[in-house]
Amino acid sequence: MNARMAALTALCEVDEGVNLKDALGKIFEEDKLTEDDRSLANELAFGTLRHREEIDQIIRETYNGDFVSLDLILKNVLRIAVYQYLFLDRIPIYAIVNEAVNFGRTFKERGLINAVLRGIIRNKKVQALRIPRAWVFKQIIDAYPVDGERIIESFKIRPTPYIRINLLKNSIEDAEVKLKAGGFEYKDANWFPEFKSVNRLGTIINSSIMKEGFVSIHDEAQGLICHLVAPKAGDKIVDLCSAPGSKTTYMAELMGNKGMIIAVEVSETRLKMVIENALRLGLTIIRPVLADGRNYSIEGMDKVLVDAPCSNSGVVAKRPEVRERVNIKVIKRLSKLQYDLLDNAAKFLKVGGALIYSTCSILPQENEEVVSLFLKTHKNFILEPARDFTPIGDEFLKVLPGEYYTDGIFAARLKKVDEIK
């Protein structure tokens, strides 16, 4: 049994007078569904039942027959499909129709399901109901007319966890031996040999290989940003929004623990996370500083990373609360904060130094538009193409959710070519 069959069975039992919670509970007791399938079955069953009156009205307007006397199973197959179409953030239409049609027990039933659902999908009134409700999703559709639906769909997939091997403490081969000895399964990641995708993140977090600093938890797309910084041994770098320290520590590892990284963080609690990570990984070049990045002051730096606070619209799969809390006011506040951080960071650099701006947002208001405003107001900076520093990217470094099973991220590299003009 899968999630949709469980939901269908439960809804049919509800029609026979059984409580939905009890019906699902009995199914879950008798069948070994995965946690993901149980979650989806709950969503489909409760959601369909919650909106059944509205869904039935939509089906009645398309079904050319007596809906009331329609077979119970067929009714609920159609109801679940319409619920997914209207309320589950744009599951691909072909998937909804195909899955529903597969529930037909005869050729005639499959034809009926197919015809009714396609009629509903063609209904412009129904299509209007399917516009994403979350403001942030509407922005994604507007920004990515070709990829928007695929991006939103990817938010439903469990994120792939990644670890990063600390090459200062062990080689890739040594780390692989430790992972195998611990019973951890891993696969090569997309771009860098020190990154591995894993399947048991919770167990690794509590393992000795993690506590002793042989590996870190770090999404590989976030690691791309560190490569855009291109840290070198001996560099003097400021990481202006450093907590929890994943990028700070990776840059220190890429520098061979030689040079200096000033890790600025406005939160004392979060700054402690940076310090703990550095200690765990055996890194000695990180200098923690408790300060607001908009006011901190220093000069003569080689590179500055501004990994700015953002809406998290590229990591909705990890932070589903984004869909509820992000709106136009939030974006306006964040884009001002992002610009202010960049504006102050620009003062830290020596001529020839590089300012790297990054977010885990995919909204242009927080990315391209912030960079564009910065370049208009800082004529002594130029944009350096990301493709010159990273294995993917063009003018900017951008990874969309779902492209590589990583976080969605954006980054730009800005070179200081002169003193203030």
Side-chain angles (χ1 to χ4, degrees), residues 346-379:
K347 300 166 189 167
F348 303 170
L349 287 165
K350 66 183 185 184
V351 173
L355 173 56
I356 291 79
Y357 172 70
S358 65
T359 71
C360 56
S361 170
I362 56 171
L363 299 182
Q365 301 96 312
E366 299 179 89
N367 297 329
E368 290 92 339
E369 292 179 18
V370 172
V371 172
S372 176
L373 178 61
F374 176 84
L375 289 172
K376 279 181 186 174
T377 52
H378 297 76
K379 301 294 186 185

Side-chain angles (χ1 to χ4, degrees), residues 2 25 107 241 266 321 349 363 377:
N2 60 27
F107 182 77
C241 306
V266 70
E321 71 277 8
L349 287 165
L363 299 182
T377 52

Side-chain angles (χ1 to χ4, degrees), residues 11-58:
L11 286 173
C12 288
E13 291 192 21
V14 168
D15 287 339
E16 299 289 349
V18 179
N19 178 285
L20 178 55
K21 189 176 177 182
D22 292 342
L24 283 168
K26 185 181 174 188
I27 292 167
F28 293 162
E29 272 183 20
E30 294 175 352
D31 285 271
K32 292 180 180 177
L33 275 74
T34 65
E35 282 302 314
D36 286 348
D37 270 348
R38 287 184 181 210
S39 175
L40 180 57
N42 269 312
E43 169 69 47
L44 294 175
F46 278 97
T48 301
L49 192 58
R50 197 175 296 126
H51 295 279
R52 193 165 78 172
E53 188 175 342
E54 178 185 359
I55 289 170
D56 282 3
Q57 181 59 37
I58 289 169

Side-chain angles (χ1 to χ4, degrees), residues 297-313:
S297 178
I298 195 168
E299 293 180 352
M301 295 291 107
D302 296 300
K303 287 143 189 169
V304 181
L305 172 60
V306 178
D307 187 44
C310 69
S311 66
N312 301 125
S313 62

Side-chain angles (χ1 to χ4, degrees), residues 132-339:
R133 286 153 178 75
W135 183 87
V136 67
F137 287 174
K138 292 176 185 173
Q139 298 303 303
I140 290 172
I141 293 294
D142 286 346
Y144 303 95
V146 175
D147 294 317
E149 290 199 19
R150 180 187 59 75
I151 291 170
I152 293 170
E153 176 66 10
S154 76
F155 293 147
K156 302 190 192 103
I157 301 171
R158 186 172 71 89
T160 300
Y162 290 90
I163 59 168
R164 184 188 82 225
I165 295 168
N166 179 1
L167 296 178
L168 299 181
K169 279 204 167 186
N170 56 181
S171 67
I172 291 170
E173 292 76 17
D174 290 341
E176 288 177 341
V177 169
K178 292 184 181 80
L179 288 167
K180 286 176 183 171
F184 302 115
E185 294 179 14
Y186 62 89
K187 292 180 182 175
D188 289 341
N190 298 288
W191 305 290
F192 307 113
E194 64 267 37
F195 281 83
K196 305 289 178 188
S197 66
V198 295
N199 63 340
R200 292 165 53 197
L201 189 61
T203 315
I204 286 184
I205 288 172
N206 295 312
S207 69
S208 59
I209 189 173
M210 177 78 179
K211 291 176 181 174
E212 293 173 27
F214 294 113
V215 300
S216 294
I217 308 300
H218 198 186
D219 186 272
E220 196 186 23
Q222 305 288 351
L224 275 171
I225 294 167
C226 298
H227 284 268
L228 187 61
V229 177
K232 294 181 174 56
D235 273 350
K236 292 186 291 184
I237 297 176
V238 175
D239 186 353
L240 202 56
C241 306
S242 61
S246 300
K247 295 185 184 70
T248 317
T249 53
Y250 187 33
M251 288 191 294
E253 289 169 20
L254 292 172
M255 293 163 69
N257 202 27
K258 295 174 183 173
M260 180 177 69
I261 299 179
I262 299 174
V264 181
E265 174 55 45
V266 70
S267 161
E268 185 174 1
T269 302
R270 286 171 59 77
L271 186 62
K272 286 179 182 174
M273 298 166 71
V274 181
I275 297 168
E276 288 167 1
N277 269 319
L279 288 171
R280 181 179 62 83
L281 295 165
L283 300 168
T284 58
I285 65 168
I286 296 169
R287 306 281 182 267
V289 173
L290 182 64
D292 186 328
R294 292 170 293 183
N295 305 318
Y296 178 69
S297 178
I298 195 168
E299 293 180 352
M301 295 291 107
D302 296 300
K303 287 143 189 169
V304 181
L305 172 60
V306 178
D307 187 44
C310 69
S311 66
N312 301 125
S313 62
V315 291
V316 178
K318 289 180 178 173
R319 301 185 180 184
E321 71 277 8
V322 168
R323 71 178 72 190
E324 303 300 331
R325 70 170 173 78
V326 174
N327 54 46
I328 191 166
K329 287 183 180 177
V330 171
I331 294 297
K332 283 184 176 177
R333 176 177 59 77
L334 285 170
S335 59
K336 182 178 186 311
L337 171 61
Q338 291 153 358
Y339 175 83

